Amino acid sequence: MDLVPALEEPLRQPLKSVLGPATAKVMAEHLGLLTVGDLLHHYPRRYEERGQLTHLADLPMDEHVTVVAQVADARLHTFASAKAPRGKGQRLEVTITDGSGRLQLVFFGAGVHKPHKELLPGTRAMFAGKVSVFNRRLQLAHPAYELLRGDPEESVETWAGALIPIYPATAKLESWKIGKAIQTVLPTAQEAVDPLPDTLREGRGLAPLPEALLKIHRPHTKADIEDARSRLKWDEAFVLQVALARRRHADAQLPAVPRKPAPDGLLTAFDARLPFTLTDGQQRVSREIFDDLATDHPMHRLLQGEVGSGKTMVALRAMLAVVDAGGQAAMLAPTEVLAQQHHRSVVEMMGELAEGGMLGGSEQATKVVLLTGSMGAAARRHALLDLTTGEAGIVIGTHALIEDKVQFHDLGLVVVDEQHRFGVEQRDALRGKGKQPPHLLVMTATPIPRTVAMTVFGDLETSVLDQLPAGRSPIASHVVPAADKPHFLSRAWERVREEVENGHQAYVVCPRIGDEEDDPKKSAKKKSPEDEAEKRPPLAVLDVADQLTRGPLQGLKVEVLHGRMHPDDKDAVMRRFAAGETHVLVATTVIEVGVNVPNATAMVIMDADRFGVSQLHQLRGRVGRGSAPGLCLLVTEMPEASPARQRLGAVASTLDGFELSRIDLEQRREGDVLGQAQSGARTSLKVLAVIEDEEIIAEAREEATAVVASDPELTHLPALRTALDALLDEEREQYLEKG
């Protein structure tokens, strides 16, 4: 972050490399580390004490791990195989232990000789490899290892108490090799320029940056690690918050047209025809939005709410307020299915108020048009004309709205639904369609913990709808362990039949479509039976629909829905399902957001372990939308002790989306929080944990806002400016700008 000449020195140079060329190449390609500064900011993931051992009981599947453990026993077996038909094949099995659990290491062929000599019972070593499952037991095959021997000069206590940094590593470069490379460049840490203003650092008692870097890589005590981490967390939180504060500051300077609804206009007429009263939450959030719309700089607001909390209603009232004030509103949806669904439900909710310029339309009415990529030419021409003339007050569409041909009469508000599916350029292009920047309302049904909202959407004000409207039914969720208990899966299909017999409908969700051509290269590789179980392709819509129609759901009307179908076919399938003509819809995640069929009460998610926590929560929100209770069955073949099963257990145990998003974050690597668009080597969070460090993030936000208010260009803080440039090249600054 503090890149200055000594720290900007590339690790790989034509004439003199800081490290060996091969090591530097692996660091660049696999870890994104290009300069001395990058390497110094590659912090240990954790530390081991030689005298203590790690938790083998908590190893994650399919991840590259480093463990410190003791050899319990080692056995050499001979066996016959195709390569060694006379029983000359050799396999070394080593069991290591750490007090919490045991782990098997296996070495084959010529690779057995060195470990057979070195890994004797009682030996301690660091082992690195990828965790796999063989015969339902965790193992490391051919791990790299480094024996832990005490320096003859060191006393036993010093040696046993020394802290060994364990670095995020890759299969090509073990943790201890990264450690050696860092020791080589550590002296240059003295030249690191400190991005924190002196007053802030001294006021909070934080260590200077060079000292923090030394302490994190070469700690003598646990207190050193704590000092270093609290300082480096502040760096990450503060520099990011300064970037966001500068965005908010710049946005506040932009002009916008204030949009205040007319006293007895469209909004009043709409509210009068609602058959229910808005929840307190909806009224509160609407007030926040209307206050923003009335100001003369653009609103930037994030509206988050549980699936079914009535976000669409709040967004629609905001759009009507803007139409009342003489402007137009555009709603951007991520898929055609969702755009059509939004259009249908908005027109239904508005009734004659959506029939502007038509016979029978109310005098306050406006036109609501749909614009998607697959519309016929005539309908499209008509819709575009209505937008240019201002005849249409509301347009709902997909990214087709962004095309150059689309011109608005006076665009006043952009509502983006499920914003994480849109790229930066797309949101920017739509905002560029207004004469002045339009107001922006971003909606998401993925609940975001407060700290993440402050980190990822830090340039948006946040409104939360956490109350479900009356009449929504509870959803019971259960994990169905198909491999351990096949009869549970049979019972799941019986439950689906029972729901249909009671006049309801069901969804079956699969991770894949199933018409992809198999890659001959991939299928040519021979796989072991264990590999087959672990790595079989995810279940596919077309295969599952076929099996169900011929098997457990024979006689029911089953249809499929997926993203590669023609838009008209998708729409027809959704209409039949909504009308109750189809009993069971087998679909991919195209139904994840916005699909609203109150009569659908059951959902079976196949290979549920292949979906993320928030995605499962989103999918589950499609049932229980009417008066009958919902049922969600999470089918998996993963073994009981696996992290995937624990994740599914968490989803089944709570309907609270905020609680689940917390669990989701705790299980993901922190660097993922900022999303793909910000996954540059230096941007991802390394020591800041967005869940645990809520306090630091909130304080850093306050400090950053104050710094930017007094010196927006950071003229008096050149070191902070440098850190900011390293964090944000042009592209990332743009990304933050759009939230």
Side-chain angles (χ1 to χ4, degrees):
M1 275 185 202
D2 41 276
L3 301 184
V4 290
L7 275 68
E8 272 176 7
E9 198 177 333
L11 294 172
R12 187 162 52 151
Q13 297 171 15
L15 298 171
K16 69 168 193 55
S17 283
V18 175
L19 307 170
T23 307
K25 184 170 186 251
V26 174
M27 284 189 172
E29 288 174 6
H30 295 273
L31 295 167
L33 307 175
L34 306 174
T35 65
V36 171
D38 292 346
L39 185 54
L40 286 175
H41 286 295
H42 187 71
Y43 309 131
R45 184 173 277 165
R46 55 191 168 79
Y47 300 84
E48 293 298 355
E49 286 182 65
R50 286 181 173 136
Q52 284 184 338
L53 297 163
T54 52
H55 275 279
L56 292 181
D58 308 332
L59 288 182
M61 270 296 299
D62 271 347
E63 273 200 32
H64 203 79
V65 299
T66 302
V67 296
V68 173
Q70 185 164 345
V71 176
D73 68 13
R75 295 176 187 187
L76 192 60
H77 301 272
T78 53
F79 60 92
S81 69
K83 285 187 181 166
R86 296 203 189 86
K88 293 267 179 69
Q90 288 193 315
R91 181 175 77 246
L92 176 67
E93 289 180 5
V94 177
T95 305
I96 58 173
T97 177
D98 67 348
S100 77
R102 296 164 86 80
L103 178 66
Q104 184 139 332
L105 316 177
V106 287
F107 301 87
F108 292 101
V112 305
H113 306 307
K114 186 169 177 268
H116 189 219
K117 283 207 298 277
E118 293 182 336
L119 298 179
L120 306 171
T123 308
R124 283 190 179 190
M126 280 195 279
F127 301 94
K130 195 170 180 185
V131 183
S132 57
V133 170
F134 182 75
N135 284 343
R136 297 200 161 257
R137 282 168 61 196
L138 294 181
Q139 71 166 27
L140 297 181
H142 282 284
Y145 64 87
E146 172 104 324
L147 300 179
L148 294 177
R149 301 185 175 97
D151 185 320
E153 300 296 304
E154 269 179 320
S155 72
V156 175
E157 288 76 23
T158 323
W159 184 82
L163 293 159
I164 305 168
I166 304 289
Y167 289 94
T170 75
K172 295 226 161 51
L173 197 63
E174 292 87 13
S175 166
W176 51 87
K177 289 184 183 162
I178 295 171
K180 284 174 184 164
I182 287 173
Q183 294 303 330
T184 311
V185 300
L186 203 49
T188 51
Q190 293 303 338
E191 300 179 44
V193 175
D194 205 320
L196 292 191
D198 292 346
T199 47
L200 188 157
R201 189 170 57 72
E202 288 157 12
R204 294 187 176 272
L206 297 168
L209 183 60
E211 183 187 318
L213 289 171
L214 285 172
K215 281 182 170 177
I216 198 142
H217 291 299
R218 199 186 275 164
H220 295 299
T221 62
K222 288 185 176 164
D224 283 354
I225 300 170
E226 275 318 296
D227 280 358
R229 289 177 71 85
S230 30
R231 161 60 217 243
L232 296 166
K233 281 179 178 191
W234 256 94
D235 270 21
E236 286 181 5
F238 180 70
V239 176
L240 182 60
Q241 291 302 335
V242 166
L244 294 165
R246 292 185 72 212
R247 279 274 39 93
R248 288 196 300 277
H249 184 269
D251 287 340
Q253 314 304 311
L254 291 173
V257 180
R259 310 279 178 175
K260 292 179 184 163
D264 288 311
L266 182 57
L267 181 62
T268 314
F270 174 75
D271 284 349
R273 53 167 289 141
L274 281 181
F276 51 82
T277 53
L278 298 174
T279 65
D280 296 346
Q282 286 175 314
Q283 290 176 4
R284 185 194 74 246
V285 169
S286 290
R287 277 195 300 277
E288 291 171 353
I289 291 171
F290 291 161
D291 288 349
D292 282 0
L293 290 173
T295 60
D296 54 9
H297 58 84
M299 162 172 85
H300 285 127
R301 192 165 278 281
L302 171 70
L303 169 57
Q304 47 169 327
E306 280 290 11
V307 181
S309 57
K311 290 184 301 298
T312 313
M313 173 60 70
V314 168
L316 176 56
R317 292 184 74 243
M319 295 199 287
L320 296 175
V322 169
V323 174
D324 251 355
Q328 289 168 296
M331 185 183 222
L332 197 55
T335 64
E336 295 213 350
V337 168
L338 195 49
Q340 287 160 340
Q341 180 115 12
H342 275 322
H343 181 255
R344 265 203 299 277
S345 59
V346 164
V347 170
E348 271 167 32
M349 285 195 272
M350 287 176 64
E352 75 272 8
L353 295 175
E355 294 168 0
M358 287 146 72
L359 273 174
S362 144
E363 61 182 271
Q364 288 107 334
T366 186
K367 223 180 221 184
V368 180
V369 300
L370 175 69
L371 191 62
T372 62
S374 63
M375 281 168 80
R380 189 177 169 77
R381 254 199 320 275
H382 212 91
L384 289 171
L385 187 65
D386 284 343
L387 287 179
T388 315
T389 59
E391 186 89 4
I394 293 178
V395 58
I396 296 169
T398 54
H399 55 266
L401 280 177
I402 295 161
E403 291 172 9
D404 292 343
K405 294 191 197 82
V406 181
Q407 296 300 324
F408 288 86
H409 175 65
D410 179 14
L411 180 62
L413 170 67
V414 174
V415 178
V416 180
D417 192 19
E418 288 306 322
Q419 93 101 34
H420 56 280
R421 298 175 173 233
F422 282 99
V424 175
E425 301 77 19
Q426 294 171 310
R427 286 194 300 274
D428 204 22
L430 192 56
R431 270 170 60 175
K433 300 225 173 253
K435 296 188 177 71
Q436 286 196 329
H439 297 281
L440 175 70
L441 179 65
V442 166
M443 297 199 296
T444 176
T446 309
I448 302 162
R450 175 173 166 262
T451 45
V452 182
M454 285 194 294
T455 311
V456 185
F457 301 103
D459 57 341
L460 299 174
E461 298 302 325
T462 306
S463 293
V464 179
L465 271 178
D466 45 15
Q467 222 178 338
L468 287 188
R472 292 297 300 261
S473 304
I475 305 169
S477 308
H478 303 284
V479 178
V480 176
D484 309 350
K485 299 177 177 162
H487 57 287
F488 276 34
L489 185 56
S490 316
R491 177 70 190 119
W493 301 126
E494 284 170 21
R495 281 292 288 112
V496 170
R497 285 197 95 93
E498 286 163 18
E499 289 299 311
V500 173
E501 280 158 16
N502 290 332
H504 297 302
Q505 293 156 277
Y507 298 100
V508 176
V509 182
C510 305
R512 210 164 52 97
I513 297 173
D515 58 0
E516 303 89 347
E517 284 182 28
D518 280 337
D519 182 340
K521 280 193 206 128
K522 282 184 187 165
S523 47
K525 285 186 189 167
K526 288 295 284 172
K527 289 181 182 167
S528 70
E530 295 67 44
D531 251 11
E532 290 298 334
E534 292 297 321
K535 300 283 192 299
R536 70 161 172 71
L539 291 169
V541 165
L542 302 176
D543 307 342
V544 169
D546 186 44
Q547 289 159 14
L548 292 176
T549 321
R550 287 188 287 155
L553 302 185
Q554 204 167 4
L556 300 186
K557 179 92 170 66
V558 176
E559 288 209 71
V560 299
L561 179 71
H562 58 74
R564 280 214 289 275
M565 287 164 65
H566 187 278
D568 292 351
D569 296 342
K570 277 194 268 196
D571 202 34
V573 168
M574 272 319 296
R575 279 177 194 278
R576 286 196 292 274
F577 190 66
E581 295 163 26
T582 306
H583 297 134
V584 179
L585 186 62
V586 182
T588 56
T589 53
V590 289
I591 61 153
E592 181 186 347
V593 282
V595 173
N596 185 19
V597 180
N599 191 45
T601 52
M603 175 177 284
V604 180
I605 302 179
M606 306 303 290
D607 276 345
D609 47 89
R610 313 253 180 164
F611 298 98
V613 170
S614 339
Q615 204 173 21
L616 291 169
H617 183 57
Q618 287 282 323
L619 287 165
R620 170 171 64 183
R622 303 297 116 217
V623 295
R625 298 178 81 84
S627 51
L631 172 69
C632 176
L633 301 173
L634 307 166
V635 179
T636 177
E637 292 187 0
M638 293 308 271
E640 197 163 355
S642 62
R645 272 285 281 281
Q646 289 163 7
R647 216 173 46 236
L648 296 180
V651 175
S653 68
T654 176
L655 290 171
D656 179 341
F658 285 92
E659 177 54 29
L660 285 174
S661 67
R662 247 186 132 77
I663 292 169
D664 193 18
L665 268 175
E666 281 164 2
Q667 292 189 337
R668 291 202 318 227
R669 294 192 185 87
E670 287 299 344
D672 299 349
V673 169
L674 296 183
Q676 261 18 85
Q678 249 182 279
S679 59
R682 287 184 220 116
T683 16
S684 53
L685 303 181
K686 298 188 177 100
V687 281
L688 191 71
V690 284
I691 292 289
E692 294 143 42
D693 297 326
E694 182 161 345
E695 215 171 286
I696 294 180
I697 293 170
E699 288 174 15
R701 183 180 168 111
E702 271 176 42
E703 294 270 13
T705 308
V707 164
V708 170
S710 64
D711 181 6
E713 292 306 311
L714 308 178
T715 332
H716 304 298
L717 296 166
L720 175 56
R721 183 75 243 198
T722 308
L724 203 61
D725 294 341
L727 174 75
L728 301 174
D729 51 31
E730 198 52 39
E731 198 172 75
R732 292 193 197 105
E733 186 131 22
Q734 292 293 311
Y735 172 75
L736 284 172
E737 179 178 334
K738 316 303 178 312

